[in-house]
Amino acid sequence: MKVTILGCGGSSGSPQIGGADGAGEWGEIDSAEPRNRRNRPSIVIENKAGQRLLVDTGPDLRLQLTAQKIGRIDAVLYTHAHADHIAGLDEIRILNRILDAPMPAYADQKCWAELEQRFDYAFRPWDPAKGFFRPVLVPHVVAAGETVEILGLPVTLFAQNHGYISTLGLRVQNFAYSTDVVRLDEAALAGLMGLDVWVVDCFTSGGPHPTHANLAQVLLWVARLQPRRTILTHMGPNMDFCSLQRSLPAGVEPGFDGMVIEF
Ligand SMILES: [Zn+2]
């Protein structure tokens, strides 16, 4: 199995639109460091046969896939329906053409309801004779607490508190992905024991945030769960790559777009 981080930035990306010269607002991070350039959060999990599960379809999806030379996706899983995780759903149309089939897609009931409302045209009856002039998904309803087989991979889903809503975290063998989380209950923590690699939301090194874990919280989780390797994602404008690399404890590191984790 192989995991590629397609994006590890916050909801507005890094840099976000703006800045003194209009070329981007970098906050407190170094614009000269390429690993500080971050797209919206997403990963791809590739199985032994080379089939790929895409987790979330954010607004940067086209650039993310082409940058990582990923020309085919075999299934999609949604963690939740916030715009930075779903706004690239239209790109599934092109992935449909490559696959030459409707796209198997997995999300919980609430996420599907939201997707159907916001992308209603994608859920109208599909006429195969017309091809893929819009995205065509095969919706699978999943729920936290379940283990679902996707592309032959056992994907265990668990609930994460994201402030105002709940998101799906996922574990595949000894890898887990926890984007968009501020609190984890005992059931989720129990399911995160014994990890080799944990990619986890860490929006800020500052004080508590209403919807995202801060560094202090991540380090508390790490002390308890003891993953062999912890990689930070969903990083905001005070999470400078090199400063973090210098200051984080052993076993904890900032992610970067294009990071590949082999199992
Ligand atoms: Zn979110």
Side-chain angles (χ1 to χ4, degrees):
M1 189 171 91
K2 180 172 115 175
V3 172
T4 304
I5 295 183
L6 293 183
C8 62
S11 60
S12 46
S14 173
Q16 66 176 53
I17 295 169
D21 60 357
E25 172 55 54
W26 293 88
E28 297 164 38
I29 65 177
D30 178 8
S31 61
E33 167 52 56
R35 288 168 293 187
N36 277 330
R37 192 170 280 277
R38 298 170 179 139
N39 284 311
R40 265 51 79 92
S42 174
I43 60 168
V44 165
I45 304 173
E46 191 173 312
N47 69 15
K48 264 192 202 160
Q51 293 172 303
R52 301 186 186 104
L53 170 63
L54 171 65
V55 180
D56 293 328
T57 60
D60 303 318
L61 186 58
R62 180 180 69 87
L63 296 172
Q64 289 170 308
L65 291 178
T66 52
Q68 303 313 322
K69 299 189 166 71
I70 293 175
R72 180 188 163 113
I73 292 293
D74 300 279
V76 174
L77 169 67
Y78 286 102
T79 59
H80 65 303
H82 280 165
D84 52 327
H85 296 257
I86 66 169
L89 183 143
D90 274 312
E91 305 297 354
I92 290 177
R93 174 179 67 125
I94 307 301
L95 296 169
N96 284 139
R97 291 179 192 167
I98 294 165
L99 202 58
D100 195 25
M103 180 66 70
Y106 300 78
D108 67 17
Q109 204 148 31
K110 248 180 77 185
C111 185
W112 278 127
E114 190 109 0
L115 289 171
E116 283 173 28
Q117 187 188 15
R118 284 157 74 177
F119 298 90
D120 64 322
Y121 55 89
F123 294 91
R124 290 174 197 152
W126 176 57
D127 176 2
K130 288 188 178 163
F132 298 104
F133 60 93
R134 47 96 171 163
V136 181
L137 289 75
V138 184
H140 297 269
V141 182
V142 295
E146 290 179 359
T147 297
V148 199
E149 191 174 301
I150 307 177
L151 305 176
L153 297 167
V155 181
T156 300
L157 303 163
F158 53 93
Q160 305 179 135
N161 184 313
H162 183 24
Y164 306 103
I165 65 163
S166 177
T167 61
L168 287 179
L170 59 118
R171 176 174 182 154
V172 185
Q173 295 155 6
N174 287 341
F175 165 77
Y177 183 57
S178 291
T179 191
D180 294 64
V181 58
V182 63
R183 277 182 293 281
L184 289 167
D185 65 14
E186 287 302 315
L189 289 166
L192 287 166
M193 296 299 289
L195 289 172
D196 285 330
V197 179
W198 188 29
V199 176
V200 58
D201 182 355
C202 186
F203 181 70
T204 173
S205 56
H209 186 279
T211 56
H212 294 280
N214 66 352
L215 183 57
Q217 175 63 74
V218 168
L219 294 179
L220 283 175
W221 285 331
V222 167
R224 173 164 172 186
L225 301 171
Q226 309 241 317
R228 287 181 55 198
R229 191 175 171 197
T230 301
I231 299 167
L232 308 182
T233 190
H234 208 298
M235 288 177 283
N238 81 348
M239 297 287 281
D240 180 66
F241 186 89
C242 293
S243 315
L244 287 166
Q245 233 183 4
R246 280 194 299 272
S247 60
L248 288 172
V252 184
E253 60 194 298
F256 58 88
D257 291 19
M259 185 182 217
V260 174
I261 309 148
E262 304 260 10
F263 294 85

